[in-house]
C-alpha cells in the first residue's frame, strides 16, 4: 500500500533528495552557464578587440606602402617608360631595375608586407630584389581577372607562384591597386602587395572559442580573407552575418538556432576603419561541454544518493515501519475478531529499547487482556442467555397448565368421565415431555406430537366449533427445532378466533424450503393491528426480555416464542405477520435447517 508508513517514508526521502538535488543542479547549472557565457562573451570580444587592433595596424602598413608606391615619381617614370614605344629595351630595363630597387626599399620599411610586385598586361612583372620577368601566365589567374573585370582589390589567402621561394610554399593575402589611374579596367599595370597569411592567422589562433570554434576575417565585401572553404560550411549563418554588417552595433554576440535544433553562438567585431569584420562561430554545446559533463556527474551522484536513501529508508523500516505495519495488521485482525492471527502478527517480544518497542509490548498486553475480557464476557453472556431462555420456557408451562386445569374442572363438573380421562392422559404426556429440560433442541417430530396432544385436548373442549388442519411438506424427518414454539401460537390462534366468532378455524403448515424451515399458523380471528405488528418486530429485534416476562397483557405466548427464537437463532431467525386466507392472522416463523443433534453454531447467531 502506498499509504503505509514505510512507503511514505521512502517517498519523503526520495522527494526531498530529488527536489533538493534537482533544484541545486538546475540553479548551479543555470548560474554556471550564465557566468561562463558572460566570461566567454567578454573574453572573446576582448581578444577580438586586440586582434582588430593588430589587423588595423597591418592594413595601415599595407595601405601606406601602396600609397607610397602609387604616388612615387619612380613608379610614374617607370609607367611612362613602359608606355613609350620610342625607348629602347635597354632604357626600359634600366627603368625596371630602378623600380625594383625602390620596391625593395619600400618592402623593407614595413614588417607586415612580405613582397610588392607590379604586373603589366603585356606579361611583364617587376618585383623587389631585381626581379624582372616576362611571364604572361598571371593574366589568366583568378585574382587578376577578378580585379580587371570586377575591381576586387583584396585577394583571399592563396599561393603566389612568384613567392614560392624555398622548399615550402606559403600562402599570402594580397591587395591589388591600379598604377597610373584609379579605374582597374583602364589600368595597364597592377600593383600587388602581399602579406603572409600566417602573419594574420597566427595571432588569430590565440583566440579560442571552444575546441572547434573558428574566427573568420571578412573584407568589406563580406568575403573571408584567410579560409574560404571553412567559412562556406556555415551556410546557415552567412545571412545573419550580412544582417550584422548592415544593422548591428560594432560588436556583440548572437545566438542562432539551427535546423537540427542545436544552438550556435556567433561572436562578431567590426573593424570600422576599413569596414572589415571579425566573425566567430562555435556550437553552444561545445562551450558548455564541461558544464554538461558536470551536470551528468551531479545526476549520477544524485542517483547514487537516491539509491542510498531508499536503502536507508528500507533499513529504517525494519526498526520502525515494519513493527508498526505488523501492529496495524494485528489491529485489523482484532477488528475481525481473529485474536490468534492478531497475536501471530505482533512483533516478537524483546527488551524495550525505544518507543516502538514500548508500544508493541503495551499492545501485546492489551490484546491479551482484551481477549480474556471478551472470553469472560462471552461466557457470562452465554450463561445469561441460557438463563433467559429457561425463564421464557418456564413461563410457557404454567400458563398452559392453568388453562388445562380449568378445562378439567369444567369436565369434572359436567361428569364427562371419558373426556376427563383423555385430557388427563394427554396432559400427562405433555407434562412428561415439558419436564425434559436437558436439551433446548428437539426433533421436529416430538414437537408435532406435543402439538397433537394439545390439539386433542382442544377438540374435547370445543368439539365441533373447532377446526384444526395440519399440513407438512418436504423432508422433515431429521429436522430439529427448539421446543414449545408451535403450541403457544396455536393457543393464541384458537383464543382470538373464538373471541371473534362462534367457530375457530386454524391452519398449521410446516414446509422445508432449501436451507430454511417455515412454520406458519393461520386463523380466522380479528387479526393483529399494524401498530402491534410493528411493536412485536421492534421487541424481537431488541430482545426485550423483561418486557415479555413482566407483561400480563395479551400476546404473551407469541412474544415468548419470538424472543426465544431470537435468543437461540440470532440473525438466522425471521418471522412475518400478515393477513391469512382464512380472514384472520397468519404468523410464519422462518428457522435455519438443523438436522441430527447439531446445534446452530454460535458464530451464525449474529
Amino acid at each position: 500500500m502506498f499509504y503505509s508508513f514505510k512507503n511514505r517514508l521512502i517517498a519523503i526521502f526520495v522527494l526531498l533528495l530529488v527536489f533538493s538535488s534537482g533544484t541545486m543542479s538546475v540553479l548551479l547549472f543555470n548560474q554556471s552557464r550564465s557566468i561562463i557565457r558572460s566570461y566567454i562573451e567578454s573574453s572573446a570580444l576582448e581578444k577580438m578587440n586586440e586582434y582588430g587592433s593588430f589587423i588595423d595596424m597591418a592594413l595601415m602598413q599595407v595601405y601606406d606602402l601602396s600609397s607610397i608606391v602609387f604616388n612615387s615619381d619612380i613608379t610614374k617614370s617607370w609607367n611612362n617608360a613602359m608606355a613609350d614605344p620610342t625607348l629602347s629595351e635597354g632604357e626600359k630595363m634600366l627603368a625596371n631595375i630602378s623600380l625594383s630597387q625602390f620596391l625593395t626599399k619600400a618592402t623593407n620599411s614595413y614588417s607586415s608586407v612580405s613582397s610588392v610586385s607590379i604586373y603589366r598586361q603585356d606579361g611583364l612583372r617587376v618585383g623587389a630584389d631585381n626581379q624582372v620577368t616576362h611571364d604572361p601566365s598571371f593574366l589568366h589567374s583568378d585574382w587578376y581577372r577578378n580585379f580587371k573585370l570586377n575591381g576586387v582589390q583584396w585577394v583571399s589567402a592563396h599561393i603566389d607562384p612568384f613567392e614560392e621561394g624555398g622548399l615550402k610554399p606559403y600562402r599570402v593575402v594580397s591587395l591589388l591597386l591600379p598604377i597610373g589611374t584609379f579605374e582597374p579596367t583602364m589600368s595597364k599595370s597592377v600593383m600587388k602587395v602581399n602579406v603572409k597569411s600566417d602573419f594574420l592567422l597566427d595571432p588569430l589562433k590565440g583566440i579560442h572559442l571552444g575546441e572547434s570554434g573558428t574566427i573568420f576575417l571578412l573584407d568589406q565585401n563580406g568575403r573571408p580573407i584567410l579560409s574560404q572553404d571553412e567559412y562556406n560550411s556555415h551556410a546557415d549563418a552567412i545571412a545573419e552575418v550580412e544582417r550584422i554588417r548592415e544593422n548591428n552595433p560594432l560588436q556583440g554576440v548572437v545566438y542562432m538556432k539551427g535546423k537540427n535544433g542545436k544552438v550556435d553562438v556567433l561572436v562578431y567585431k567590426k573593424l570600422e576603419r576599413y569596414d572589415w569584420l571579425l566573425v566567430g562561430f562555435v556550437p553552444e554545446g561545445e562551450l558548455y561541454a564541461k558544464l554538461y559533463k558536470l551536470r551528468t556527474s551531479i545526476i549520477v551522484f544524485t542517483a547514487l544518493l537516491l539509491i542510498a536513501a531508499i536503502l536507508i529508508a528500507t533499513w529504517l523500516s525494519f526498526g520502525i515501519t515494519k513493527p508498526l505495519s505488523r501492529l496495524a495488521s494485528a489491529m485489523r485482525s482484532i477488528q475481525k475478531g481473529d485474536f490468534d492471527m492478531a497475536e501471530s502478527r505482533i512483533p516478537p517480544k524483546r527488551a524495550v529499547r525505544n518507543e516502538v518497542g514500548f508500544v508493541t509490548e503495551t499492545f501485546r498486553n492489551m490484546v491479551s487482556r482484551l481477549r480474556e475480557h471478551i472470553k469472560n464476557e462471552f461466557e457470562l453472556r452465554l450463561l445469561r442467555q441460557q438463563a433467559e431462555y429457561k425463564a421464557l420456557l418456564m413461563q410457557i408451562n404454567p400458563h398452559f397448565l392453568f388453562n388445562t386445569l380449568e378445562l378439567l374442572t369444567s369436565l369434572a363438573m359436567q361428569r364427562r368421565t371419558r373426556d376427563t380421562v383423555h385430557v388427563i392422559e394427554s396432559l400427562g404426556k405433555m407434562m412428561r415431555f415439558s419436564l425434559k429440560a436437558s436439551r433446548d433442541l428437539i426433533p421436529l417430530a416430538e414437537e408435532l406430537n406435543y402439538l397433537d396432544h394439545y390439539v386433542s385436548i382442544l377438540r374435547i373442549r370445543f368439539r365441533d366449533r373447532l377446526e384444526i388442519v395440519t399440513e407438512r411438506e418436504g423432508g422433515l424427518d431429521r429436522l430439529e427445532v427448539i421446543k414449545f414454539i408451535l403450541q403457544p401460537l396455536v393457543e393464541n390462534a384458537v383464543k382470538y378466533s373464538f373471541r371473534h366468532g362462534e367457530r375457530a378455524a386454524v391452519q398449521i403448515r410446516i414446509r422445508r424450503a432449501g436451507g430454511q424451515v417455515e412454520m406458519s399458523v393461520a386463523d380466522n380471528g380479528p387479526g393483529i393491528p399494524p401498530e402491534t405488528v410493528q411493536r412485536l418486530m421492534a421487541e424481537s429485534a431488541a430482545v426485550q426480555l423483561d418486557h415479555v416476562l413482566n407483561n400480563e397483557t395479551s400476546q404473551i405466548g407469541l412474544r415468548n416464542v419470538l424472543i426465544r427464537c431470537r435468543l437461540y437463532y440470532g440473525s438466522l431467525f425471521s418471522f412475518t405477520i400478515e393477513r391469512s386466507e382464512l380472514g384472520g392472522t397468519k404468523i410464519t416463523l422462518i428457522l435455519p435447517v438443523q438436522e441430527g443433534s447439531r446445534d446452530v453454531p454460535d458464530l451464525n447467531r449474529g
Side-chain angles (χ1 to χ4, degrees), residues 88 97 119 174 186 214 281 294 340 369 377 410 434 474 543 597:
S88 63
I97 293 173
Y119 298 82
S174 303
M186 300 295 295
T214 307
F281 302 105
L294 175 62
D340 293 333
R369 293 180 182 179
E377 181 67 21
S410 175
S434 63
V543 194
S597 59

Side-chain angles (χ1 to χ4, degrees), residues 26-42:
V26 171
L27 293 178
L28 180 62
F29 179 79
N30 291 336
Q31 189 66 21
S32 300
R33 184 170 62 176
S34 176
I35 295 173
I36 292 176
R37 174 182 291 181
S38 176
Y39 172 76
I40 291 175
E41 292 177 1
S42 60

Side-chain angles (χ1 to χ4, degrees), residues 281-353:
F281 302 105
V282 62
E284 185 185 36
E286 185 177 310
L287 292 178
Y288 308 130
K290 293 183 178 180
L291 187 59
Y292 288 136
K293 187 179 295 184
L294 175 62
R295 184 176 64 176
T296 303
S297 300
I298 293 176
I299 293 174
V300 172
F301 182 70
T302 302
L304 294 177
L305 287 179
L306 181 61
I307 295 174
I310 294 175
L311 293 177
I312 292 174
T314 305
W315 175 73
L316 287 176
S317 69
F318 284 95
I320 299 177
T321 62
K322 186 176 181 179
L324 293 180
S325 299
R326 297 189 65 174
L327 283 177
S329 177
M331 290 178 182
R332 284 191 288 269
S333 298
I334 291 294
Q335 288 180 336
K336 298 177 182 179
D338 192 348
F339 283 85
D340 293 333
M341 178 61 70
E343 291 182 341
S344 67
R345 295 299 301 167
I346 298 176
K349 188 174 183 180
R350 61 184 63 180
V352 179
R353 293 180 296 180

Side-chain angles (χ1 to χ4, degrees), residues 349-403:
K349 188 174 183 180
R350 61 184 63 180
V352 179
R353 293 180 296 180
N354 51 39
E355 292 81 356
V356 176
F358 178 77
V359 172
T360 302
E361 187 63 25
T362 302
F363 183 74
R364 180 184 291 105
N365 295 334
M366 183 189 71
V367 170
S368 177
R369 293 180 182 179
L370 180 62
R371 185 172 188 173
E372 187 67 24
H373 175 74
I374 291 177
K375 179 181 178 181
N376 295 335
E377 181 67 21
F378 177 77
E379 292 175 353
L380 290 176
R381 180 180 178 184
L382 185 59
L383 292 175
R384 179 182 176 184
Q385 180 176 331
Q386 292 176 350
E388 291 172 347
Y389 183 84
K390 297 297 182 181
L392 290 171
L393 194 61
M394 295 303 294
Q395 187 187 41
I396 291 295
N397 292 333
H399 181 74
F400 160 71
L401 181 60
F402 294 151
N403 291 337

Side-chain angles (χ1 to χ4, degrees), residues 502-554:
E502 294 294 329
R503 293 182 58 82
V506 178
Q507 186 179 51
I508 305 169
R509 178 177 295 174
I510 303 170
R511 73 186 189 93
R512 177 174 180 174
Q516 295 177 327
V517 178
E518 296 181 0
M519 299 180 178
S520 63
V521 177
D523 60 48
N524 62 341
I528 301 178
E531 58 273 12
T532 304
V533 173
Q534 293 180 1
R535 186 165 58 252
L536 290 172
M537 291 282 187
E539 291 175 358
S540 173
V543 194
Q544 297 179 1
L545 181 64
D546 295 339
H547 181 73
V548 177
L549 293 175
N550 299 327
N551 195 341
E552 298 179 356
T553 60
S554 59

Side-chain angles (χ1 to χ4, degrees), residues 98-389:
S98 175
L99 178 61
S100 177
Q101 292 175 352
F102 171 69
L103 294 178
T104 301
K105 292 179 181 180
T107 303
N108 292 334
S109 299
Y110 294 92
S111 59
S112 60
V113 178
S114 62
S115 65
V116 179
S117 301
I118 297 178
Y119 298 82
R120 281 189 64 82
Q121 64 184 10
D122 58 2
L124 177 65
R125 170 187 176 270
V126 179
D129 298 329
N130 296 325
Q131 293 184 15
V132 179
T133 60
H134 190 277
D135 184 1
S137 60
F138 70 85
L139 297 175
H140 304 288
S141 61
D142 292 337
W143 61 266
Y144 185 80
R145 297 177 62 184
N146 286 334
F147 177 74
K148 294 291 289 183
L149 297 177
N150 302 319
V152 178
Q153 293 183 331
W154 282 97
V155 184
S156 301
H158 64 287
I159 296 177
D160 192 333
F162 297 101
E163 290 203 9
E164 292 185 5
L167 298 177
K168 185 177 180 180
Y170 54 86
R171 300 168 68 87
V172 295
V173 176
S174 303
L175 171 64
L176 304 179
L177 290 175
I179 298 297
T181 179
F182 293 102
E183 180 59 39
T185 58
M186 300 295 295
S187 64
K188 295 181 179 181
S189 300
V190 178
M191 176 175 54
K192 186 171 186 284
V193 182
N194 292 333
V195 179
K196 290 183 179 181
S197 62
D198 288 341
F199 179 79
L200 302 178
L201 190 59
D202 288 342
L204 193 60
K205 294 178 180 178
I207 306 177
H208 298 287
L209 292 179
E211 295 181 359
S212 63
T214 307
I215 297 179
F216 300 94
L217 180 62
L218 308 181
D219 64 10
Q220 66 271 22
N221 296 318
R223 294 181 296 110
I225 295 298
L226 300 176
S227 54
Q228 177 73 41
D229 295 337
E230 294 181 15
Y231 180 74
N232 290 335
S233 64
H234 299 277
D236 295 340
I238 292 178
E240 183 67 23
V241 171
E242 292 301 321
R243 189 185 64 80
I244 290 173
R245 289 175 55 82
E246 296 176 1
N247 302 319
N248 281 44
L250 296 180
Q251 64 182 23
V253 180
V254 178
Y255 291 87
M256 303 177 300
K257 190 172 184 179
K259 296 180 180 179
N260 55 3
K262 296 182 179 180
V263 177
D264 293 330
V265 182
L266 187 153
V267 184
Y268 67 90
K269 165 68 178 176
K270 290 182 179 180
L271 306 180
E272 191 174 10
R273 178 178 296 179
Y274 301 103
D275 200 20
W276 282 28
L277 183 66
L278 281 171
V279 178
F281 302 105
V282 62
E284 185 185 36
E286 185 177 310
L287 292 178
Y288 308 130
K290 293 183 178 180
L291 187 59
Y292 288 136
K293 187 179 295 184
L294 175 62
R295 184 176 64 176
T296 303
S297 300
I298 293 176
I299 293 174
V300 172
F301 182 70
T302 302
L304 294 177
L305 287 179
L306 181 61
I307 295 174
I310 294 175
L311 293 177
I312 292 174
T314 305
W315 175 73
L316 287 176
S317 69
F318 284 95
I320 299 177
T321 62
K322 186 176 181 179
L324 293 180
S325 299
R326 297 189 65 174
L327 283 177
S329 177
M331 290 178 182
R332 284 191 288 269
S333 298
I334 291 294
Q335 288 180 336
K336 298 177 182 179
D338 192 348
F339 283 85
D340 293 333
M341 178 61 70
E343 291 182 341
S344 67
R345 295 299 301 167
I346 298 176
K349 188 174 183 180
R350 61 184 63 180
V352 179
R353 293 180 296 180
N354 51 39
E355 292 81 356
V356 176
F358 178 77
V359 172
T360 302
E361 187 63 25
T362 302
F363 183 74
R364 180 184 291 105
N365 295 334
M366 183 189 71
V367 170
S368 177
R369 293 180 182 179
L370 180 62
R371 185 172 188 173
E372 187 67 24
H373 175 74
I374 291 177
K375 179 181 178 181
N376 295 335
E377 181 67 21
F378 177 77
E379 292 175 353
L380 290 176
R381 180 180 178 184
L382 185 59
L383 292 175
R384 179 182 176 184
Q385 180 176 331
Q386 292 176 350
E388 291 172 347
Y389 183 84

